[in-house]
Amino acid sequence: MLYLLYGPDEFARTEELARIKAQVPPDLADLNITVLDGRRLKLDALAAACEAIPFLADRRVVVVHDLLKHQRAGKDRDELRAYLERVPPTCDLVFVESEDFDKRSAVFTYLKKAGELHEFQPKQGAELLRWVAERARMLGVTIEPAAAQRLVTFAGNEGRALVNELSKLASYVGAGGRITAHDVERMVADDQEQNLFAFIDEVSARRRGPALASLRRLLDEGQAATYILFMVARQVRVLLGVKELAAQRLRPEEIAARLGQKPFVVRKALEQARGFSDADLLRLHDRVLELDQATKTGRFEAAAGLELLVAELCA
């Protein structure tokens, strides 16, 4: 089976990928799941992974990250398109794209015809509030409508950030409990965001020691390195958007509305953006993506990668 998972909702993409991987028995996953970096992938390596015989299982899963985005038109793309018709029935080949890509390509056209496509867009409005309520039920609690609205106001519509905050709230109210707006205001303070701001502040000022200390503080608070990386990537996108819209002489409130961010986030981002040139931010964006890929494919440990990133940016 061929799959394509794409769209900006990273949390939803990750959940769907986990669902596909779960079709392989857990005790055989290491032997029957292969993860490849599509940016440097050669067709013979892909074919070798797909055509390997499943070990004590009916199927194997091959996951390819960000191939369509980085593959140029020409011979390589044509050969991949042709190979897709020959993927063995014992292999589930899953393409995962974290960025937008050319949807006019023959590869996308074939996947659209012969595969299973899942596009993940961030939820908005009533749909987002229903999703928050459902996630709360999955955690064994309920959340009042006003509390769900308050949570979205604090955390935005990023699935991973919302689930992280819901998990803390569920632990606070206990199994079978009910999350109120007061609980949200008490527990989902902006401490995490402020600590992230502090980290970005130190990086933008090129203060390596304090930046590393801020990073370690986030880790000590129990934040997973992969989640910090996700938050840094989100903040870099905010900084890029803020710089672009500020150049159009828009007021902070107008920028916040355009970006779907809280006004105080935009005001803080305007201060931070002064520490970066456009080239700095684009380079940081690319390095975060590279690090994200390296951690997902097992080539780098996320915490060490973040420390290396700080050292590079503060050199």
Side-chain angles (χ1 to χ4, degrees):
M1 184 68 184
L2 302 174
Y3 295 89
L4 173 59
L5 315 181
Y6 67 106
D9 190 336
E10 178 270 340
F11 182 76
R13 287 199 322 267
T14 300
E15 281 206 318
E16 179 60 20
L17 179 59
R19 185 193 67 79
I20 295 171
K21 287 181 174 180
Q23 298 176 44
V24 177
D27 56 333
L28 299 172
D30 289 344
L31 299 169
N32 290 294
I33 296 178
T34 301
V35 180
L36 302 170
D37 184 348
R39 296 174 303 165
R40 301 175 179 85
L41 185 63
K42 300 298 182 182
L43 184 59
D44 56 352
L46 175 63
C50 292
E51 293 168 15
I53 303 298
F55 183 77
L56 298 178
D58 296 329
R59 316 182 64 75
R60 63 181 282 101
V61 175
V62 176
V63 181
V64 183
H65 286 280
D66 293 323
L67 185 146
L68 280 79
K69 168 67 177 179
H70 295 94
Q71 190 178 54
R72 296 179 180 178
K75 180 182 175 183
D76 288 347
R77 184 179 290 179
D78 293 340
E79 289 180 347
L80 173 62
R81 159 65 182 83
Y83 178 71
L84 293 179
E85 298 183 25
R86 307 195 303 273
V87 174
T90 55
C91 176
D92 287 332
L93 176 56
V94 187
F95 294 98
V96 182
E97 296 293 318
S98 61
E99 295 185 83
D100 198 16
F101 56 90
D102 184 3
K103 297 180 180 62
R104 299 167 298 177
S105 72
V107 173
F108 178 76
T109 301
Y110 183 79
L111 289 171
K112 191 175 180 180
K113 178 182 70 173
E116 188 174 307
L117 271 62
H118 297 271
E119 182 178 11
F120 301 100
Q121 293 292 336
K123 297 172 181 61
Q124 304 284 347
E127 180 189 15
L128 177 61
L129 295 177
R130 286 193 296 271
W131 182 85
V132 168
E134 176 59 28
R135 299 302 301 206
R137 284 192 290 272
M138 291 171 64
L139 292 168
V141 298
T142 58
I143 183 168
E144 294 178 354
Q149 183 64 67
R150 195 66 175 149
L151 177 59
V152 168
T153 299
F154 272 121
N157 65 349
E158 295 278 4
R160 190 170 299 280
L162 286 168
V163 167
N164 189 61
E165 298 299 344
L166 275 171
S167 296
K168 290 193 298 186
L169 286 162
S171 296
Y172 176 67
V173 301
R178 186 174 183 82
I179 300 170
T180 67
H182 177 71
D183 295 329
V184 173
E185 290 173 359
R186 180 174 182 177
M187 297 297 296
V188 191
D190 294 318
D191 291 347
Q192 182 185 85
E193 203 153 27
Q194 294 297 342
N195 287 341
L196 181 66
F197 285 153
F199 174 51
I200 299 294
D201 275 344
E202 303 299 354
V203 171
S204 66
R206 308 301 193 273
R207 293 191 288 263
R208 182 165 58 181
L212 287 172
S214 292
L215 173 60
R216 290 176 188 132
R217 189 177 307 117
L218 287 166
L219 292 169
D220 290 342
E221 289 170 353
Q223 296 300 337
T226 51
Y227 181 70
I228 297 171
L229 182 61
F230 161 76
M231 294 295 287
V232 170
R234 184 179 76 164
Q235 186 66 10
V236 171
R237 290 195 295 272
V238 170
L239 292 173
L240 284 166
V242 162
K243 279 184 73 74
E244 180 182 354
L245 294 174
Q248 301 175 24
R249 300 186 181 280
L250 296 180
R251 292 181 292 107
E253 294 75 13
E254 295 172 316
I255 296 174
R258 292 273 193 97
L259 297 180
Q261 296 290 334
K262 292 171 278 188
F264 89 89
V265 172
V266 168
R267 292 190 185 93
K268 187 64 180 177
L270 285 167
E271 297 174 13
Q272 291 179 333
R274 298 189 186 101
F276 297 94
S277 67
D278 291 345
D280 287 337
L281 284 175
L282 290 172
R283 182 165 62 92
L284 178 55
H285 182 264
D286 289 345
R287 288 291 292 119
V288 169
L289 285 178
E290 288 174 9
L291 181 54
D292 180 60
Q293 283 298 107
T295 57
K296 285 177 178 174
T297 55
R299 292 185 291 110
F300 224 107
E301 197 271 326
L306 280 166
E307 290 189 354
L308 178 62
L309 183 65
V310 169
E312 289 178 6
L313 293 169
C314 298

